[in-house]
């Protein structure tokens, strides 16, 4: 999705704090300050890369590490003599900032969109794409599969098959809620591809269900989004869902 450029103009920041003042704050507060000044939302599954400046990710990682060290301390774990947890805060901070939640901090993957010169107008199905995320409620892993159905028109842009996986990964690498993740992915693809119809199905396993709470071993959740032609045309919807069922059973 394209977002309006944040306003870092001197007038906007002078109203509150100068850049020198901001520089003395921890990176997370600096970034939060810019987000609030620009009236931008920063929920767990929002991308805030436009507000993070060069070098600040390393600072964020150090901050997260220090806080995680306090969490371990609060859990009464002796990270000094326990060689297993000695570096845990550092490892988890890196994992959060650079890996599993990286989709919050890095800009959208660059994907080349091609005009539909062949004027393809047949149903295209991409998937299953393996997706990995974490639930915002418990920060437990979510593992799943995504299928994407696209009905292009002559004005649609086409993107390479592997790029669907890169875009999905960017959106899933954040603390997510499955319903919201599917909608975010649909919005992103709608904007880039501009098809006549767009369908997304996500089936995922939520580890917070296995690991805690009811400890249910069958905890798959399925969500779908249907847009445009997929909403209006029951046959198209059926075609998509039947191809998807067949693809799944052939694995
Ligand atoms: Zn959960």
């Amino acid at each position: 999705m394209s977002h309006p450029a944040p306003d870092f103009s001197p007038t906007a920041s002078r109203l509150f704090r100068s850049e020198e003042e901001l520089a003395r704050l921890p990176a997370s507060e600096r970034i939060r300050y810019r987000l609030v000044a620009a009236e931008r939302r920063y929920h767990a599954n929002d991308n805030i890369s436009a507000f993070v400046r060069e070098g600040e990710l390393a600072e964020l990682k150090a901050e997260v590490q220090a806080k995680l060290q306090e969490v371990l301390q609060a859990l009464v774990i002796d990270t000094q003599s326990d060689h297993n947890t000695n570096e845990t805060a550092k490892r988890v901070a890196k994992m959060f900032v650079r890996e599993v939640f990286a989709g919050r901090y890095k800009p959208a993957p660059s994907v080349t969109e091609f005009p539909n010169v062949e004027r393809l107008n047949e149903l295209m199905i991409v998937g299953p794409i393996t997706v990995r995320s974490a639930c915002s409620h418990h920060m437990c892993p979510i593992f799943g599969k995504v299928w994407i159905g696209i009905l292009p028109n002559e004005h649609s842009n086409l993107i390479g098959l592997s790029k669907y996986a890169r875009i999905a990964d960017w959106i899933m690498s954040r603390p997510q809620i499955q319903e919201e993740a599917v909608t975010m992915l649909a919005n992103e693809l709608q904007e880039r591809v501009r098809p006549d119809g767009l369908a997304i199905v996500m089936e995922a396993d939520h580890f917070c269900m296995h690991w805690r709470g009811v400890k249910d071993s069958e905890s798959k959740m399925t969500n779908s989004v249907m847009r445009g032609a997929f909403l209006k045309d029951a046959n198209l919807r059926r075609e998509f869902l039947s191809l998807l069922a067949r693809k799944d059973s052939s694995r």
Side-chain angles (χ1 to χ4, degrees):
M1 270 184 287
S2 63
H3 300 296
D7 184 6
F8 294 136
S9 64
T11 34
S13 41
R14 211 176 293 136
L15 285 173
F16 306 93
R17 279 175 169 146
S18 67
E19 277 300 316
E20 296 75 58
E21 260 183 289
L22 280 182
R24 286 195 291 270
L25 297 173
S28 66
E29 287 191 29
R30 234 178 286 141
I31 297 164
R32 188 169 13 253
Y33 176 83
R34 294 178 198 131
L35 285 158
V36 171
E39 297 182 327
R40 282 287 301 277
R41 206 181 79 157
Y42 54 102
H43 290 184
N45 56 7
D46 286 327
N47 179 277
I48 59 167
S49 61
F51 299 85
V52 181
R53 293 187 187 170
E54 181 104 34
E56 285 181 340
L57 266 195
E59 285 180 68
L60 270 192
K61 189 159 71 74
E63 258 186 73
V64 174
Q65 179 180 334
K67 302 290 184 193
L68 283 166
Q69 187 57 42
E70 286 181 31
V71 171
L72 292 168
Q73 233 164 302
L75 289 168
V76 201
I77 293 173
D78 180 1
T79 59
Q80 294 260 298
S81 17
D82 175 7
H83 57 279
N84 293 321
T85 54
N86 216 273
E87 301 257 282
T88 295
K90 188 179 174 186
R91 277 190 293 264
V92 177
K94 184 185 174 203
M95 180 180 83
F96 281 171
V97 176
R98 301 284 188 186
E99 295 163 6
V100 298
F101 301 151
R104 298 194 77 228
Y105 307 106
K106 64 183 183 192
S110 64
V111 170
T112 317
E113 288 128 27
F114 305 97
N116 185 3
V117 284
E118 303 287 337
R119 300 185 171 215
L120 302 172
N121 60 359
E122 297 285 321
L123 171 61
M124 270 171 47
I125 297 185
V126 186
I129 297 170
T130 300
V131 288
R132 298 177 295 181
S133 192
C135 81
S136 306
H137 297 149
H138 305 96
M139 303 245 164
C140 283
I142 299 173
F143 278 138
K145 288 177 282 185
V146 164
W147 292 263
I148 300 165
I150 301 251
L151 188 72
N153 65 32
E154 56 188 302
H155 306 295
S156 294
N157 298 314
L158 302 178
I159 61 179
L161 283 184
S162 64
K163 306 299 165 130
Y164 288 94
R166 291 195 57 201
I167 293 169
D169 182 59
W170 179 63
I171 286 172
M172 298 299 165
S173 302
R174 309 169 190 180
Q176 275 289 8
I177 295 299
Q178 190 168 326
E179 304 91 295
E180 293 180 15
V182 170
T183 304
M184 279 183 162
L185 181 57
N187 291 344
E188 189 69 30
L189 292 176
Q190 185 70 42
E191 197 165 299
R192 287 174 187 254
V193 183
R194 302 193 179 280
D196 271 356
L198 175 67
I200 299 181
V201 170
M202 175 169 171
E203 183 192 82
D205 223 345
H206 290 243
F207 281 66
C208 53
M209 299 286 285
H210 296 297
W211 198 21
R212 52 160 293 288
V214 293
K215 298 196 169 133
D216 194 344
S217 54
E218 256 316 309
S219 49
K220 284 205 195 308
M221 181 173 164
T222 306
N223 278 91
S224 63
V225 173
M226 302 278 163
R227 293 201 177 155
F230 285 92
L231 274 183
K232 290 175 229 145
D233 186 345
N235 284 330
L236 182 67
R237 206 158 54 232
R238 244 192 313 272
E239 190 186 346
F240 172 65
L241 293 172
S242 68
L243 283 171
L244 180 152
R246 223 178 307 153
K247 281 187 166 204
D248 196 28
S249 59
S250 65
R251 270 154 41 92

